[in-house]
Amino acid sequence: MSGAAPTSDWPPSRPVMGYNTWYHFRTSITESAVVRQAELLVSSGLAAAGYNCVNLDDGWMAAQRAANGELTGDAAKFPRGMPWLADQVHALGLRFGLYTAIGARTCQSLPGSWGHYDQDARTFASWDVDFVKVDDCGGMPPGTSVAALTEHFRQFGACLRQHNPDVVYSQELPIHQIGKPSFRSSVRASAEIAHMWRVAHDESPLSHDYASAMILGHLAAVRDLHSFAGPGHWNDLDMVAPAYPESGWTLADLRNQLSVWAMEASPLLISADIGALPPDALAALKNPHMIAIDQSGEQCSTVVMNGPVEALMKLDPEGGIAVLFVNLGVGTVTGRFSLPQLGITAARASGHDVWTGETTTFSEVSVTLEEEQTVLLQVKSTG
Ligand code: GAL
């Protein structure tokens, strides 16, 4: 075993913040690329803002298990081995995460953990792995029921915890149940089994044309899941800034995503080349108000509509109420909301725009939004 990892709040009671290799590197990850991203996380100030975990996604493992059945890293990509890499990441003050799959193969047809749950959990613990993501890509015996699949995720979680009581367990159990009657019960089971579970499909195709519609669509999809979110348990909407900026997303798309993720208290795992993030995107990811709203760990549960403008609300840990206004209509629209509709009993209130930094005061809110635009306001009584 190598030295203890540094961050003290682990497993975190707040939604996990960190880095994931998937959208930028796909399977072309190497040890030097991972070390560079970990160093950039620190030098960019993202680690100080709370992004303190570096997770390798699919593609790190060798095409075959070792003769003793152990999972090993791909020696061409990781010549110094996974324990060495874990040490490098830990030495930077960051947590280290790995990916595997519940069935016999990963989504890239590499070895999954089927038949090896205890062995892989022991291996990960011996490498000082702090975070394990378990994907669901099939590779199970034909006809495996949702109940049996749930039981496999439960068993794997128990093995991971047995070998490392502090491991963060992230899993994708509900993802194939999206839109099916079994979705909600999968989410309920996941909330008992894991720290975070995917409730939305991958953020793809990664193009500006689809981005904001897809992002805003999550609001309706996860609205009724707020009772499952809370300290140590989060509905996971997928990674943030996926392959930004080469994905074609605009800054507005990124801000929309971060606003929605913050209101839904989703984990914030950046999945881009940190060295290529423009300053405005970096600033968005480090925005302390967006982070505070996300890290409250509570998902918004109150929604008020005015025409096509939706206002989603939750208590703001910085005081008052966080309100996300969303244009669900076509073209530019205006929505008007009284202060009591926003849960404010005072005659006047102030609104701090999380993204522009402007503060205004008002006795009612009138908000004009372009198509697919959102505004995230921190609203407080002023008297
Ligand atoms: C998908 C998963 C992605 C990524 C990918 C790797 O199933 O949702 O987040 O892990 O597999 O192949």
Side-chain angles (χ1 to χ4, degrees):
M1 296 270 280
S2 53
T7 314
S8 53
D9 180 25
W10 200 269
S13 53
R14 306 300 179 189
V16 173
M17 294 173 66
Y19 181 80
N20 179 294
T21 54
W22 179 246
Y23 282 113
H24 177 65
F25 290 101
R26 303 281 169 170
T27 55
S28 305
I29 32 172
T30 61
E31 64 185 26
S32 59
V34 174
V35 170
R36 180 172 143 74
Q37 292 301 317
E39 287 170 349
L40 283 165
L41 209 57
V42 175
S43 62
S44 64
L46 284 166
Y51 297 88
N52 60 14
C53 182
V54 173
N55 299 335
L56 276 63
D57 210 277
D58 207 346
W60 65 268
M61 61 288 278
Q64 302 292 336
R65 287 177 176 267
N68 63 1
E70 269 180 24
L71 211 49
T72 58
D74 180 319
K77 297 173 180 173
F78 300 95
R80 283 177 273 200
M82 307 320 286
W84 176 87
L85 187 56
D87 279 353
Q88 301 302 301
V89 172
H90 287 154
L92 287 163
L94 304 167
R95 297 285 175 167
F96 180 69
L98 284 180
Y99 162 106
T100 184
I102 199 76
R105 57 171 189 277
T106 73
C107 294
Q108 305 303 314
S109 296
L110 288 161
S113 289
W114 177 250
H116 296 269
Y117 296 160
D118 185 69
Q119 184 176 32
D120 289 354
R122 197 168 344 108
T123 302
F124 293 152
S126 74
W127 293 350
D128 271 351
V129 174
D130 305 295
F131 177 110
V132 177
K133 169 175 169 179
V134 180
D135 207 344
D136 173 11
C137 303
M140 308 287 292
T144 301
S145 64
V146 177
L149 182 64
T150 306
E151 192 46 38
H152 290 301
F153 273 105
R154 192 186 302 279
Q155 276 171 18
F156 202 172
C159 294
L160 290 166
R161 264 187 284 273
Q162 184 195 334
H163 294 288
N164 176 5
D166 292 335
V167 74
V168 170
Y169 181 30
S170 158
Q171 47 93 331
E172 298 212 355
L173 171 62
I175 209 165
H176 294 304
Q177 324 305 328
I178 292 172
K180 297 183 186 161
S182 50
F183 178 61
R184 202 174 162 82
S185 57
S186 279
V187 173
R188 182 181 298 117
S190 299
E192 290 167 6
I193 298 169
H195 297 91
M196 51 193 271
W197 50 89
R198 279 282 295 282
V199 292
H201 290 295
D202 291 11
E203 290 294 279
S204 50
L206 297 178
S207 118
H208 167 68
D209 295 346
Y210 300 96
S212 284
M214 187 174 60
I215 289 163
L216 301 182
H218 292 319
L219 289 169
V222 304
R223 179 174 302 158
D224 296 333
L225 303 180
H226 56 85
S227 61
F228 302 115
H233 296 89
W234 317 287
N235 291 302
D236 176 10
L237 290 175
D238 198 15
M239 302 157 218
V240 294
Y244 193 95
E246 75 253 27
S247 57
W249 281 28
T250 62
L251 182 64
D253 294 327
L254 179 61
R255 287 176 168 180
N256 276 348
Q257 190 194 30
L258 294 172
S259 299
V260 169
W261 268 230
M263 291 305 285
E264 303 296 355
S266 176
L268 300 174
L269 291 169
I270 301 166
S271 194
D273 174 4
I274 296 173
L277 287 173
D280 52 11
L282 259 184
L285 289 161
K286 286 195 267 188
N287 185 299
H289 310 294
M290 178 279 291
I291 290 175
I293 294 167
D294 177 78
Q295 294 287 290
S296 79
E298 298 291 333
Q299 200 173 311
C300 64
S301 54
T302 313
V303 182
V304 182
M305 295 293 294
N306 181 272
V309 180
E310 184 178 55
L312 298 107
M313 287 161 258
K314 69 175 183 177
L315 286 178
D316 181 351
E318 297 188 318
I321 292 167
V323 188
L324 180 66
F325 296 97
V326 184
N327 179 354
L328 295 180
V330 177
T332 302
V333 297
T334 297
R336 286 193 179 76
F337 298 88
S338 68
L339 293 184
Q341 277 183 304
L342 303 182
I344 303 273
T345 49
R348 289 191 71 77
S350 66
H352 171 252
D353 186 315
V354 165
W355 298 117
T356 65
E358 281 169 21
T359 299
T360 48
T361 59
F362 37 73
S363 53
E364 66 160 19
V365 181
S366 171
V367 59
T368 298
L369 301 170
E370 288 170 23
E371 191 154 311
E372 294 182 343
Q373 192 191 346
T374 66
V375 167
L376 182 55
L377 276 192
Q378 296 177 292
V379 181
K380 284 182 189 160
S381 308
T382 56

